[in-house]
Amino acid sequence: MSSAGIRKARLATEDPIWVKALILTLVVAFLTLVLILPLGVVFTQALAKGWKVAWAAVREPDAVAAIKLTLLVAAIAVPFNAVFGLCASWAIAKHDFRGKAFLITLIDLPFSVSPVVAGLIYVLVFGAQGWFGDWLIDHDIKILFALPAIVLATIFVTFPFVARELIPLMQEQGVAEEEAALSLGASGLRTFLRVTAPNVRWGLLYGVLLCNARAMGEFGAVSVVSGHIRGLTNTMPLHVQILYDDNDATGAFAVAALLCLLAVVTLVLKTTLEVAQPDVAGRRAH
Amino acid sequence: MFRRRSAIPGFGLTLGITLTLLSVVVLIPLSAVALKAAGIGWDGFVAAGFSERAMRAYRLSFGAAFAAAAINGVFGMITAWALVRYQFPGKTVLNALVDLPFALPTAVAGIALVTLYQPGNLLGVWLDALHIKAAFNFTGVTIALTFIGLPFVVRTLEPIMRDLAADVEEAAASLGASRWQTVMRVVLPSLGPAWLTGFALAFARGVGEYGSVIFIAGNLPFKTEIAPLLIVIQLEQYEYGAAASIAVVMLLVSFAMLFVINAIQAYARRLAA
C-alpha cells in the first residue's frame, strides 16, 4: 500500500476536528453541571462562614461521635467483606463446580436491592415485631437501632465489592502457579499466602478501597436501622442529614466536606492503582 | 458429580464460609421481606403494594430513573467516547471524576445538588430566569439520578469502545463509507449490547436510590414521593406489612432488570463468538 493510502486509512478512524471540539465541549459542560459544581458547592458552603465555624462544626461532640461510629462501622464491615471476598473467589475461581454462575448472581444480589430495602430486611428480622424480636427483648440484646444492625446493613450493601473484584482476577490467573507450589510440597495455606495472595493483592486493595468508600458513605440502609440517636447511633452521613434538616447548612456542609475528602482520596488512590497496575485493578464497572 | 476434582485444596472450607455468610447476611434476611408480604395475604399485599399512593411513587421512581438513564445514555456515551478516543489536557482528572458518584456518599450529593439547583440559589437563579424549576419536582429527582447513574454507562461502554477493532472502521472507510456512515452503521451497532447493559444498570440503581434523591425530591405524597421513601414512611408508622409489600414489588422489578441485563450480556457473548 502506498504511504498516502496509509495516511488516509488512519484519518478515516478519526473524527473531524469540529466533531471533537463539539463532543469535548458537551462532555465538559455536562460533567461540570452534574459532577464538578456539586463537588465545589460542598467546599464553598462549608467555608461560607470561614474556617473556624466549619472546624467547630466538625469538632462538636455529636459530630465527633458520628465520625467515630463511621470509622468503627467501616473497621468491622470492610475486613468482614474482604474475608468473604477472598473465600468466595478462592472457591469460585480456583475450582470447578455446578451452579457457579448462579452463585455469582446471588453474591451480586445486594447491588440490585434498594438500600432502603437492605435496612428493612433487618428491621423485619430483629425488630420488636420481627422474627427474633421477643427473644432479643427477653435476653436484653439490642441489635436494631444499635451498632450491630448498622454494621449488618453496611455489610449487606457492600457485600459484593471485594468478591466481584477478585473473582474475575483469580479466574484469569488460573491455577497453574498454585498447582506448581502444591506439587513441590507447600501446604494449602502456604500456597495461598505465598502464591495467590501476592498475585491478587492489588485487586484486593482496589476492592477494599471501593468497599470502604461505600461503607463510610452509606445512607439509606443505615438510616432505616440506626434509630437516629444523636451522639450514639448517628453515622456521618446521618449527621449531615440532621444538621441540614435543622437548617444548619454550614455545619452540614462542614461534615459533608470531610466525606468529600474521603471520596477525593478514594478517587486519587483508585486512579493511581489503575495506572500502576492496569492488569489487576478496576476492569469492572461497579 | 457436583464438582470436578482438582489439586487445589480448601474447596469445602471456602465454599462453606461463602454459602454461610451469603445465607446469614443476604438470603435469609431477604426472605423475611417476602414472608412478611405474604403474611398479610394477597388482598393486603395488593392493597399496600399497589395503592394509589404507591403507584404514584413507582411512576416517579421508575419514570425519573428512566429519564436519567436516557440522559446518561447520551452524555455517558459521548463521555466514554472522548475518554477512549481523544487526547486532551485534564483527561486523567476528568476520568477520575466520572467515578465520583461511586465514591461520594449519597447524602452529600443530595444536599449539594439541592443547594445548587433549588430556586433562588446558585444555578437555580439562572434556571428561574428561564422559568425552569429543577428541584422539588420530577426534574429534581431526574438530576439526582443522573448524577448517580453516570459512571454505570461510562464504565460499561469504555472497555467495549477500547476493544473496537480499528480495522473494521478502516475497512468501512476504505469501502467508501463517510465518517458519519461508519459511526452510525459500524461503531454504534457494535456498542448496542454494552449500551443497553449500562442503561439497565443505571436504571436499576436509580429506581432504588434514596440518599441523593430525598433532599431534592420535595417528598410530597402522591406528587414528589419516591418509592424507597414510601417504604421508610410505612416503617415509621409501624406498617411493616405495607413496607414489605412495596419492597417486594420493587425487588421483583429489580430482579427482572437483573435477568434482562444477564440476557443481554449472554446474547452479546453469543454474538461475539
Side-chain angles (χ1 to χ4, degrees):
Chain A
M1 197 188 278
S2 71
S3 64
I6 290 171
R7 184 176 298 152
K8 187 154 191 306
R10 242 180 230 153
L11 283 173
T13 61
E14 226 173 82
D15 294 333
I17 188 82
W18 67 270
V19 173
K20 275 190 191 178
L22 178 70
I23 287 186
L24 276 179
T25 309
L26 284 173
V27 166
V28 170
F30 177 69
L31 294 186
T32 303
L33 285 176
V34 179
L35 299 178
I36 299 171
L37 285 179
L39 192 60
V41 159
V42 174
F43 292 107
T44 54
Q45 295 291 311
L47 299 175
K49 292 179 186 160
W51 283 97
K52 277 188 182 158
V53 180
W55 186 237
V58 174
R59 291 287 307 276
E60 170 257 339
D62 285 349
V64 172
I67 294 169
K68 280 185 183 159
L69 179 62
T70 294
L71 293 176
L72 176 63
V73 169
I76 302 171
V78 175
F80 181 99
N81 281 336
V83 170
F84 168 76
L86 282 170
C87 285
S89 54
W90 182 266
I92 290 171
K94 301 291 183 190
H95 301 88
D96 263 325
F97 58 95
R98 232 181 282 164
K100 196 189 268 196
F102 184 60
L103 182 57
I104 294 176
T105 307
L106 287 183
I107 291 173
D108 270 348
L109 208 56
F111 276 162
S112 43
V113 172
S114 170
V116 167
V117 177
L120 167 71
I121 61 179
Y122 292 111
V123 174
L124 295 179
V125 172
F126 297 114
Q129 298 180 23
W131 289 353
F132 303 119
D134 293 333
W135 189 87
L136 289 171
I137 291 168
D138 289 345
H139 291 76
D140 203 23
I141 302 171
K142 263 197 96 54
I143 291 187
L144 199 63
F145 309 133
L147 181 68
I150 298 175
V151 170
L152 273 173
T154 305
I155 289 176
F156 182 98
V157 292
T158 55
F159 198 65
F161 274 104
V162 179
R164 71 181 304 180
E165 199 62 47
L166 288 182
I167 291 169
L169 183 59
M170 280 198 194
Q171 271 173 337
E172 243 167 61
Q173 290 176 344
V175 293
E177 287 184 39
E178 280 82 3
E179 281 173 350
L182 289 163
S183 73
L184 291 172
S187 70
L189 184 66
R190 195 177 154 85
T191 305
F192 172 76
L193 291 175
R194 301 294 290 272
V195 177
T196 314
N199 278 341
V200 301
R201 64 183 169 200
W202 297 116
L204 176 65
L205 183 61
Y206 192 87
V208 162
L209 204 60
L210 293 174
C211 181
N212 180 64
R214 180 71 193 266
M216 288 192 175
E218 178 51 27
F219 179 77
V222 170
S223 153
V224 170
V225 299
S226 110
H228 304 272
I229 308 163
R230 271 198 199 208
L232 219 58
T233 63
N234 262 344
T235 60
M236 285 171 80
L238 298 182
H239 191 61
V240 168
Q241 182 199 22
I242 288 189
L243 292 177
Y244 187 82
D245 288 347
D246 281 354
N247 287 319
D248 180 3
T250 311
F253 277 106
V255 181
L258 278 188
L259 289 167
C260 258
L261 288 179
L262 164 78
V264 170
V265 169
T266 302
L267 290 183
V268 168
L269 289 176
K270 180 174 173 299
T271 307
T272 313
L273 261 183
E274 281 165 4
V275 172
Q277 305 285 336
D279 296 335
V280 286
R283 293 150 312 139
R284 299 197 54 160
H286 279 275
Chain B
M1 184 74 187
F2 158 65
R3 126 183 126 103
R4 258 215 325 261
R5 290 200 61 79
S6 92
I8 310 286
F11 178 71
L13 178 71
T14 52
L15 188 70
I17 294 174
T18 303
L19 291 177
T20 308
L21 295 183
L22 183 67
S23 306
V24 170
V25 174
V26 178
L27 301 179
I28 296 173
L30 260 183
S31 72
V33 181
L35 290 174
K36 187 76 194 176
I40 61 172
W42 179 252
D43 292 338
F45 169 71
V46 172
F50 296 97
S51 67
E52 177 64 18
R53 187 173 173 185
M55 292 307 286
R56 296 275 185 105
Y58 301 141
R59 212 170 300 158
L60 175 62
S61 277
F62 289 108
F66 191 88
I71 293 170
N72 281 326
V74 174
F75 287 95
M77 174 137 81
I78 62 171
T79 303
W81 186 256
L83 289 176
V84 171
R85 288 301 183 93
Y86 303 164
Q87 295 303 324
F88 53 91
K91 183 170 159 175
T92 315
V93 177
L94 215 61
N95 184 35
L97 260 182
V98 167
D99 281 329
L100 182 68
F102 286 153
L104 191 70
T106 52
V108 177
I111 62 169
L113 288 170
V114 72
T115 304
L116 200 55
Y117 285 97
Q118 71 182 324
N121 252 2
L122 310 162
L123 276 180
V125 176
W126 299 87
L127 293 168
D128 292 344
L130 298 165
H131 300 287
I132 297 172
K133 193 165 176 269
F136 316 124
N137 58 5
F138 184 86
T139 312
V141 177
T142 306
I143 289 174
L145 296 183
T146 304
F147 171 88
I148 286 300
L150 175 68
F152 289 97
V153 176
V154 177
R155 296 305 183 217
T156 313
L157 279 171
E158 262 187 313
I160 311 297
M161 282 183 178
R162 209 170 287 130
D163 291 347
L164 263 185
D167 56 355
V168 181
E169 281 176 66
E170 281 167 7
S174 73
L175 289 170
S178 68
R179 183 68 189 144
W180 175 252
Q181 283 175 318
T182 308
V183 169
M184 295 310 283
R185 299 278 188 82
V186 177
V187 177
L188 285 185
S190 55
L191 294 177
W195 187 86
L196 272 178
T197 306
F199 180 94
L201 285 172
F203 178 77
R205 174 69 202 263
V207 168
E209 178 56 22
Y210 179 70
S212 60
V213 186
I214 51 162
F215 295 96
I216 202 171
N219 305 337
L220 288 175
F222 296 97
K223 288 203 172 72
T224 54
E225 185 178 65
I226 55 167
L229 176 66
L230 189 54
I231 296 179
V232 171
I233 289 172
Q234 299 288 10
L235 262 180
E236 280 168 356
Q237 296 169 350
Y238 302 103
E239 297 283 353
Y240 289 0
S245 302
I246 299 163
V248 165
V249 174
M250 291 186 66
L251 281 176
L252 288 178
V253 176
S254 299
F255 294 162
M257 293 294 304
L258 203 67
F259 181 76
V260 170
I261 294 169
N262 281 337
I264 295 169
Q265 283 172 336
Y267 175 76
R269 268 197 300 275
R270 260 210 314 281
L271 216 63

